[in-house]
Amino acid sequence: MTKKYARFLPTADSFKLEDFPYYWVSQVNAQYVQNIDNVLKKYGLDNSRRRILIALDVKPHASVSELSDMVISKMSTTTKIVYRLKDEGYIETYSCNEDGRITRVYLTDKGKEMITKINDLTSVILEQSFDGLTPLQIEKTMEILKHMFKNLAR
């Protein structure tokens, strides 16, 4: 690793946890998930199920594999969540016409109603998290995070 990154790495002699970028990425994510889980409790949901519902809202009739990729989750975990959401009446599944081995998933009317509720609740949390930031700062943060993600996904 080059010296220009040394102060951000745990191997540095003068390392401080507060200087490690992933400490803050983890902290922000953990606090966000905690806040999301707290507001979703009133609907009997959690963040894992919310993520699948949101992914289906963005990509209707996605396969379980596509959902797994979208939410960056193991296929087995995604499958469990999908069937739990199905049992709860938020989604339905069917075998793909082109390839019967592929299971496709779509939102039911109940699932679409839940998306509206989820979006209302999460918009409050997003506004809270962005308090004091300009739209330009938020856009720049997203650019940086996307860049880092692409670096890691190589």
Side-chain angles (χ1 to χ4, degrees):
M1 180 60 60
T2 62
K3 286 187 177 190
K4 70 179 179 178
Y5 299 120
R7 83 171 245 243
F8 303 110
L9 303 174
T11 55
D13 291 336
S14 62
F15 176 73
K16 293 183 205 141
L17 187 59
E18 298 81 24
D19 289 340
F20 188 52
Y22 288 101
Y23 168 77
W24 291 110
V25 169
S26 296
Q27 291 294 97
V28 168
N29 184 63
Q31 188 63 59
Y32 172 75
V33 168
Q34 183 178 331
N35 290 8
I36 289 288
D37 279 342
N38 285 338
V39 298
L40 290 177
K41 270 186 210 172
K42 72 190 305 186
Y43 296 117
L45 287 178
D46 58 25
N47 190 53
S48 297
R49 287 181 284 163
R50 179 195 67 88
R51 292 175 66 213
I52 297 291
L53 291 173
I54 296 296
L56 277 172
D57 190 42
V58 172
K59 185 169 180 143
H61 300 274
S63 69
V64 175
S65 177
E66 289 169 328
L67 290 172
S68 184
D69 289 343
M70 289 174 75
V71 301
I72 309 176
S73 176
K74 292 180 183 175
M75 183 73 155
S76 60
T77 302
T78 303
T79 301
K80 286 178 190 173
I81 296 168
V82 162
Y83 283 99
R84 185 169 180 194
L85 287 167
K86 183 177 179 179
D87 290 343
E88 294 169 338
Y90 294 115
I91 62 172
E92 282 297 332
T93 61
Y94 64 97
S95 292
C96 179
N97 291 335
E98 296 81 34
D99 186 343
R101 297 171 297 175
I102 297 172
T103 300
R104 298 225 171 260
V105 186
Y106 66 94
L107 291 167
T108 62
D109 289 340
K110 181 179 177 181
K112 291 175 185 175
E113 290 172 15
M114 184 54 69
I115 290 289
T116 301
K117 293 174 183 176
I118 287 169
N119 288 339
D120 289 344
L121 290 171
T122 56
S123 67
V124 172
I125 293 170
L126 288 176
E127 286 185 30
Q128 176 189 5
S129 68
F130 296 149
D131 188 38
L133 298 173
T134 66
L136 184 61
Q137 288 172 315
I138 296 165
E139 288 174 24
K140 189 63 179 170
T141 300
M142 289 185 353
E143 283 177 34
I144 292 167
L145 290 170
K146 286 177 191 178
H147 184 93
M148 292 170 67
F149 180 81
K150 286 177 188 173
N151 287 346
L152 291 170
R154 291 190 235 175

